Amino acid sequence: MDKKYVYFFGDGATEGTAKMRDLLGGKGAGLAEMTNISIPVPPGFTITTEGCVYYYRNGEFPPGLDEEVEIHLGRVEQSLDRRFGDVDKPLLLSVRSGARVSMPGMMDTVLNIGLNDKTVAGLARQMGDPRPAYDSYRRFVQMYGDVVLGLKPETEDDVDPFEEIIEAVKKDRGVDLDVELGAEDLRELVRLFKEAVKEGKGVDFPDDPREQLWGAIRSVFASWDNPRAIAYRQINNIPDEWGTAANVQSMVFGNLGDDSGSGVAFTRNPATGETGLYGEFLSNAQGEDVVAGIRTPKPIAALGEDMPEVYRELEDAARKLEAHFRDLQDIEFTFERGRLWLLQTRAGKRTAYAALTIAIDMVAEGLMSKEEALLSMEPEQLNHFLRPVFNLEQKEAAVKAGKVIARGLNAGPGAAAGKVVFNAADAAAWAERGEKVILVRVETSPEDIRGMSAAQGILTERGGMTSHAALVGRQMGKVCVVGCSDIRIDYKKRRFVALGGAVVKEGDEISLDGTTGEVLLGAFETQPSEIKRVLIDETLAPDESTVYRQFADFMSWADEARRLEVWTNADQPDQATVAVKFGAQGIGLCRTEHMFFAGDRITSMRKMIVARDEAGRRAALEELRPIQQEDFVGLFRAMAGRPVVIRTLDPPLHEFLPHEPAHIEKLAGQMDIPAEELAEKVETLRELNPMLGLRGCRLGIIYPEITQMQARAIIGAAVQCIRDGAPVRPEIMIPLVSHVNELFNQFMVVRNAADEIMDDEGVDVPYKVGTMIEVPRAALTADEIGLIADFFSFGTNDLTQTTFGFSRDDAGPFLRYYLAHNILKEDPFQTVDVNGVGLLMEIAVEKGRGAKAELEIGICGEHGGDPATIAFCHKIGLNYVSCSPYRVPVARLAAAQAAIKEPQT
Ligand code: ADP
Ligand code: MG
Ligand code: MG
């Protein structure tokens, strides 16, 4: 038999399950699973993502798909006793997109398919009322005209052509609201809409239901490749080749009067994590109205008063879904004449604060295991706990001074300040040139995501807590205030007016409090979050902060689960202290050169570089040694016996020298040498390709006195600490080694210097000497290098540069092109390129451990804080990852997730 492309759901004959996400898409798998656990879902069928992929590869539907669709359509017709296209008992359908992972609102959906001038009469009879039938009809023509036939506003500031017609008809009839239009008015709208389509697009609106159905399926497949979906995939790293499924589903009607309606709900509050249903609904409406933010909906609690039966059923369904999926669910529902139907369920997007509370609560309620709880939080989300909030005093003063000009819904917590812009393109452009902006829109749509991503905060006039702006804002971690009906936006004049009369123009500064929903005039200062105050600033006691206690519990679970250690990159004691508070277990990279820039150290450094001979260099280095030693003492103390990896001098020397003639002259004066001599020295140090020049271990080999001085300072500092009774674990790391002889050379320099100090002082220091693996030759000969090195540390920045042959400083322009055109899927400087660079890492681990089984191996490149890279490091058996202090919590969670996801053997 041919491949199966269609799966039925509903009415006791469901073919799919929740596990079939890849094939059925998230929405299709969710619909299937809901019917499997007896939650009421209107029957229908899913055309698989494989069907979509086939469609893209071949430019046509798979052979036999039409028959398969007919067969499944027949089952739907039978189960509902209605027929698609029938004049007496018409069945109406929706065609809904749905990829493997949720891409909220990015792709298309068409509702009410199957209507024409004949079937609408049958629908009216079925509904017992012509008005909702014609309301569905005009919605259908509008949606199909937009989505399938492409009649849309030309720019984002233009009005929608269909809305324009509606406004004109309302004006003509002297009514304010859509609901005041009668069946005859709606019939007129349908006629005018079809006319507009004919005029705008030069096509007749299709009356044949099957033509409508296939047009919608084609559109849903095509919407996988619309610009906003592509942009969303890029931002979220979703592969282009997955494709979307198309769900064809029988319609239920939320627009049959006041006992009908439609809504969206979370099984718990997605902003705070509080238990209990959370969401909103509109009575007498179809679902699109809620999501689009056209009417501001009522809070879900009001449903408990309006329709207590429906509300109870919804609560039951929510509980059942949470227990079944063991996670927060985000659901879409419709009730038709008091009967509840669920149309979608998926894991709910939530703020970091909500994720934490929900994880802690669900573990306590026995709904989740600790492992599941750890998987429910995106590692990146942990950054949000460190995000600033407003300075309370300033904020209070501002409130007293009447700076609060409006209030909306608090959809995305945190504090943001910036200049107002009114469209996404401006937001992106202004942010590009370094401005902080607040994007202000009547409502946002998927077209706006780039601008939303560029903005500090988002403010919308319309829409609820589950509107597009709220959903996407929350996911991006943006400060977000929505449904702010206190403001009136005028796109044409590029300004908004607040209720109290304040006029805010493009470029004016405002602040958003996403925690309270307030909009303030002016840009306000922000202050550290609660967790930062407890953990770092120590201005708040741990037991005074609930969120801190939750955070500490959660992180302790992560620590139990992970195998990788998390170290940090730090050059100064204060950075090390912060990192330890965040849980760092060592320093994976201390860049000694950073220590040479502070204060007048740079002068000694420069003297060393321009010295005419070795004696001159030694003299200058002797000035530096005590200073370095003191720095190392500080670091060792801060790390209290944890390992500290110190790298010997790495960058090319010219980086320490001035290049402007005026600066050279000044420096020559300070150093008491002729300006020409200094200029000449600078010139001789100039390299065509400094990245591949005299740097790394090559420096220490040509000028052994540099390495010697650093080794003495390190061992000297260790001696000092040991004398004070403080434990130390120094590890000296030689950079940019490509040949074992380079390491051997530097190893001998270090050992001699260390022996000398230890003999002189009569103190034994336990120390290690190791190397960075950051050029391919080192990885390939790791068996030789491993005989000498006590440890390896992957310098993945250089390893990426040298493996690809890209200079990171020059790669920007073509890398952007590569990423935009899918030549590379990911920026190899952000996530380790597993197939190339990663292969070299694997080879190095295997060969290195072959030479020395107990070889300690870590990663200290920028990649050490990237969750995907961390998962890879876990897989190939590294001992630790090292990242910047503020990323340590992210790395701890990512390491835990890698361990949890590891296939059990
Ligand atoms: P999105 O992925 O953008 O959320 P959906 O396919 O979920 O798009 O459709 C949006 C809304 O359309 C749903 O929330 C629901 O309210 C409405 N809808 C879709 N299919 C049906 C249906 N068969 N009956 C009634 N309403 C539907
Ligand atoms: Mg939906
Ligand atoms: Mg390097």
Side-chain angles (χ1 to χ4, degrees):
M1 206 191 102
D2 288 343
K3 193 179 200 116
K4 179 174 168 68
Y5 285 106
V6 181
Y7 288 74
F8 187 79
F9 58 80
D11 204 29
T14 304
E15 296 173 303
T17 72
K19 294 211 168 68
M20 293 162 72
R21 288 184 80 87
D22 292 358
L23 190 63
L24 304 180
K27 197 178 285 167
L31 289 166
E33 192 71 6
M34 283 199 286
T35 51
N36 285 334
I37 59 169
S38 312
I39 284 179
V41 167
F45 52 86
T46 303
I47 306 174
T48 62
T49 54
E50 288 176 352
C52 179
V53 170
Y54 185 100
Y55 178 79
Y56 270 99
R57 295 232 171 100
N58 301 282
E60 59 184 20
F61 293 120
L65 182 68
D66 45 353
E67 278 163 54
E68 239 187 306
V69 164
E70 282 306 320
I71 292 169
H72 287 81
L73 186 56
R75 290 168 80 169
V76 178
E77 289 176 331
Q78 209 176 12
S79 108
L80 295 174
D81 188 26
R82 292 180 199 171
R83 290 179 63 80
F84 188 56
D86 193 80
V87 178
D88 289 322
K89 285 181 162 183
L91 168 70
L92 299 197
L93 298 172
S94 65
V95 179
R96 316 170 61 190
S97 55
R100 280 193 209 184
V101 294
S102 151
M103 298 172 47
M106 296 297 140
M107 290 179 297
D108 292 335
T109 281
V110 185
L111 306 181
N112 303 311
I113 296 164
L115 282 172
N116 55 37
D117 290 344
K118 293 189 185 110
T119 53
V120 70
L123 183 67
R125 268 194 304 281
Q126 255 177 17
M127 289 177 161
D129 182 358
R131 192 189 179 282
Y134 279 95
D135 182 45
S136 304
Y137 195 13
R138 79 89 192 152
R139 286 166 186 275
F140 167 61
V141 177
Q142 181 171 354
M143 215 168 182
Y144 199 93
D146 170 2
V147 171
V148 183
L149 304 174
L151 188 66
K152 299 175 194 293
E154 304 219 327
T155 74
E156 56 179 313
D157 291 342
D158 283 347
V159 266
D160 179 276
F162 295 106
E163 292 299 329
E164 208 167 358
I165 297 172
I166 298 178
E167 287 312 311
V169 169
K170 283 202 289 202
K171 198 158 172 205
D172 182 63
R173 308 293 197 268
V175 302
D176 281 338
L177 301 173
D178 293 8
V179 285
E180 293 173 280
L181 293 172
E184 271 312 306
D185 304 327
L186 295 167
R187 186 211 291 266
E188 176 65 6
L189 277 182
V190 167
R191 196 182 63 76
L192 292 171
F193 283 177
K194 287 185 173 178
E195 234 174 60
V197 166
K198 175 89 192 173
E199 201 170 298
K201 291 284 146 187
V203 290
D204 287 317
F205 192 92
D207 282 329
D208 173 17
R210 277 186 168 68
E211 190 183 338
Q212 295 170 357
L213 174 62
W214 285 100
I217 294 172
R218 193 170 285 125
S219 265
V220 161
F221 280 173
S223 69
W224 174 254
D225 254 357
N226 71 37
R228 58 189 200 219
I230 291 174
Y232 186 88
R233 287 205 294 275
Q234 272 171 12
I235 293 176
N236 294 285
N237 276 325
I238 299 170
D240 287 333
E241 58 273 6
W242 279 0
T244 178
N247 300 285
V248 179
Q249 188 174 26
S250 52
M251 287 295 300
V252 289
F253 298 94
N255 56 341
L256 295 191
D258 288 337
D259 58 355
S260 304
S262 195
V264 285
F266 288 85
T267 51
R268 302 178 189 223
N269 186 319
T272 65
E274 215 178 312
T275 43
L277 268 187
Y278 183 86
E280 48 214 2
F281 76 103
L282 276 171
S283 50
N284 197 12
Q286 280 193 334
E288 284 289 295
D289 303 353
V290 185
V291 188
I294 293 164
R295 280 156 61 189
T296 297
K298 292 200 246 178
I300 199 88
L303 184 64
E305 284 149 38
D306 297 359
M307 304 285 296
E309 265 306 307
V310 171
Y311 186 75
R312 248 194 309 280
E313 269 179 60
L314 188 62
E315 274 187 321
D316 285 346
R319 250 192 303 275
K320 205 164 171 181
L321 285 169
E322 264 198 359
H324 185 74
F325 287 103
R326 304 164 74 83
D327 199 5
L328 169 75
Q329 296 293 299
D330 168 359
I331 57 189
E332 297 178 0
F333 63 92
T334 282
F335 49 103
E336 178 181 326
R337 300 225 160 108
R339 176 151 183 214
L340 177 72
W341 296 94
L342 264 72
L343 292 166
Q344 190 169 335
T345 190
R346 61 185 167 208
K349 298 271 193 280
R350 61 209 91 168
T351 63
Y353 287 92
L356 184 59
T357 301
I358 290 170
I360 298 280
D361 286 352
M362 284 198 165
V363 169
E365 290 164 32
L367 283 178
M368 271 185 186
S369 65
K370 286 180 186 173
E371 286 73 22
E372 286 168 319
L374 289 167
L375 292 177
S376 74
M377 173 96 72
E378 292 277 341
E380 294 289 344
Q381 275 191 305
L382 291 176
N383 288 324
H384 298 183
F385 295 112
L386 309 173
R387 188 130 38 91
V389 294
F390 285 115
N391 172 311
L392 274 187
E393 276 163 34
Q394 272 200 9
K395 166 90 190 293
E396 265 167 34
V399 173
K400 283 214 186 83
K403 297 282 188 191
V404 177
I405 52 168
R407 276 191 184 77
L409 304 172
N410 53 340
K419 293 182 177 164
V420 167
V421 291
F422 289 101
N423 67 61
D426 286 348
W430 291 38
E432 181 90 352
R433 55 174 206 249
E435 306 254 27
K436 293 194 156 136
V437 300
I438 304 284
L439 177 63
V440 181
R441 299 282 300 161
V442 174
E443 64 207 56
T444 63
S445 71
E447 270 95 353
D448 295 330
I449 48 169
R450 272 197 208 282
M452 295 170 78
S453 155
Q456 304 292 312
I458 298 153
L459 171 64
T460 68
E461 182 180 320
R462 290 198 218 142
M465 287 297 263
T466 47
S467 63
H468 177 266
L471 221 72
V472 176
R474 242 190 323 266
Q475 186 189 353
M476 290 181 174
K478 294 290 169 187
V479 174
C480 189
V481 174
V482 300
C484 183
S485 49
D486 293 356
I487 63 168
R488 283 289 164 274
I489 299 173
D490 187 333
Y491 285 142
K492 292 243 160 65
K493 293 193 177 132
R494 292 183 178 256
R495 65 175 204 190
F496 71 79
V497 183
L499 212 54
V503 178
V504 177
K505 298 189 297 295
E506 180 181 83
D508 289 353
E509 286 184 322
I510 61 169
S511 299
L512 299 181
D513 188 333
T515 313
T516 61
E518 287 159 316
V519 182
L520 297 97
L521 217 46
F524 289 95
E525 241 181 69
T526 53
Q527 70 163 26
S529 68
E530 231 174 77
I531 287 181
K532 181 148 182 287
R533 283 168 60 210
V534 174
L535 212 55
I536 307 299
D537 308 346
E538 298 181 3
T539 53
L540 188 67
D543 53 356
E544 279 177 84
S545 169
T546 310
V547 55
Y548 172 74
R549 280 202 311 273
Q550 292 180 333
F551 179 81
D553 282 352
F554 187 81
M555 293 311 294
S556 74
W557 300 344
D559 294 343
E560 280 163 30
R562 69 192 160 95
R563 189 189 69 221
L564 272 176
E565 290 199 6
V566 176
W567 296 13
T568 192
N569 299 351
D571 312 324
Q572 287 158 14
D574 57 334
Q575 295 170 355
T577 306
V578 165
V580 168
K581 288 175 174 175
F582 280 134
Q585 295 164 286
I587 290 182
L589 176 63
C590 164
R591 300 174 170 93
T592 46
E593 61 270 18
H594 287 178
M595 299 173 162
F596 291 135
F597 282 99
D600 47 2
R601 302 165 173 202
I602 186 76
T603 317
S604 309
M605 186 66 190
R606 285 166 167 170
K607 275 196 215 157
M608 191 278 290
I609 296 169
V610 303
R612 292 188 183 126
D613 50 24
E614 191 185 323
R617 260 194 311 278
R618 284 193 183 276
L621 284 166
E622 269 317 299
E623 285 179 35
L624 284 169
R625 176 151 78 116
I627 306 174
Q628 279 240 296
Q629 184 158 327
E630 209 163 305
D631 285 337
F632 295 140
V633 168
L635 268 188
F636 292 152
R637 293 235 161 92
M639 294 311 289
R642 296 177 183 85
V644 177
V645 176
I646 298 167
R647 181 177 69 185
T648 54
L649 193 65
D650 181 52
L653 295 179
H654 77 95
E655 282 190 12
F656 297 94
L657 294 180
H659 293 91
E660 307 268 311
H663 293 165
I664 292 178
E665 202 153 315
K666 191 169 156 221
L667 180 66
Q670 281 172 1
M671 303 190 16
D672 226 10
I673 53 170
E676 302 78 61
E677 187 185 331
L678 182 57
E680 210 183 291
K681 187 82 196 178
V682 171
E683 194 47 42
T684 48
L685 287 175
R686 188 193 292 284
E687 291 174 315
L688 279 181
N689 197 339
M691 189 191 80
L692 302 176
L694 179 59
R695 55 170 290 223
C697 64
R698 301 157 200 171
L699 274 173
I701 292 170
I702 304 295
Y703 305 118
E705 54 278 10
I706 299 179
T707 306
Q708 193 178 47
M709 179 281 281
Q710 295 199 294
R712 284 179 175 163
I714 292 165
I715 302 300
V719 167
Q720 235 174 295
C721 290
I722 292 170
R723 285 234 170 89
D724 294 348
V728 282
R729 274 177 67 189
E731 306 194 1
I732 299 171
M733 179 159 76
I734 311 300
L736 216 72
V737 163
S738 55
H739 193 288
V740 63
N741 290 348
E742 292 176 314
L743 178 62
F744 186 67
N745 171 294
Q746 291 293 285
F747 172 79
M748 289 310 291
V749 174
V750 169
R751 201 172 74 181
N752 292 336
D755 283 351
E756 201 181 304
I757 300 278
M758 293 192 295
D759 280 353
D760 284 357
E761 304 281 344
V763 175
D764 214 24
V765 176
Y767 71 95
K768 289 183 181 174
V769 181
T771 182
M772 297 191 71
I773 301 289
E774 52 185 341
V775 292
R777 195 181 186 286
L780 297 171
T781 59
D783 46 351
E784 298 171 9
I785 294 175
L787 289 175
I788 296 190
D790 297 323
F791 65 89
F792 285 173
S793 177
F794 289 107
T796 42
N797 299 338
D798 271 311
L799 191 57
T800 301
Q801 296 202 82
T802 51
T803 301
F804 277 91
F806 292 167
S807 143
R808 183 167 58 161
D809 301 326
D810 301 315
F814 63 83
L815 258 188
R816 267 197 295 282
Y817 183 93
Y818 275 26
L819 293 170
H821 294 80
N822 256 324
I823 291 171
L824 286 180
K825 298 257 182 255
E826 263 149 343
D827 182 345
F829 291 106
Q830 275 174 23
T831 290
V832 157
D833 153 54
V834 168
N835 292 354
V837 177
L839 180 60
L840 285 169
M841 293 169 70
E842 283 189 77
I843 291 172
V845 169
E846 205 188 293
K847 292 194 165 210
R849 294 237 171 92
K852 195 176 278 166
E854 70 285 2
L855 192 72
E856 168 189 286
I857 309 180
I859 175 174
C860 65
E862 222 90 312
H863 301 86
D866 167 62
T869 305
I870 293 172
F872 178 70
C873 292
H874 172 90
K875 193 183 127 213
I876 63 172
L878 298 202
N879 299 88
Y880 68 88
V881 297
S882 186
C883 57
S884 69
Y886 276 80
R887 287 198 75 81
V888 167
V890 173
R892 284 160 73 193
L893 180 55
Q897 293 187 347
I900 293 166
K901 287 183 193 159
E902 182 170 73
Q904 303 293 328
T905 45

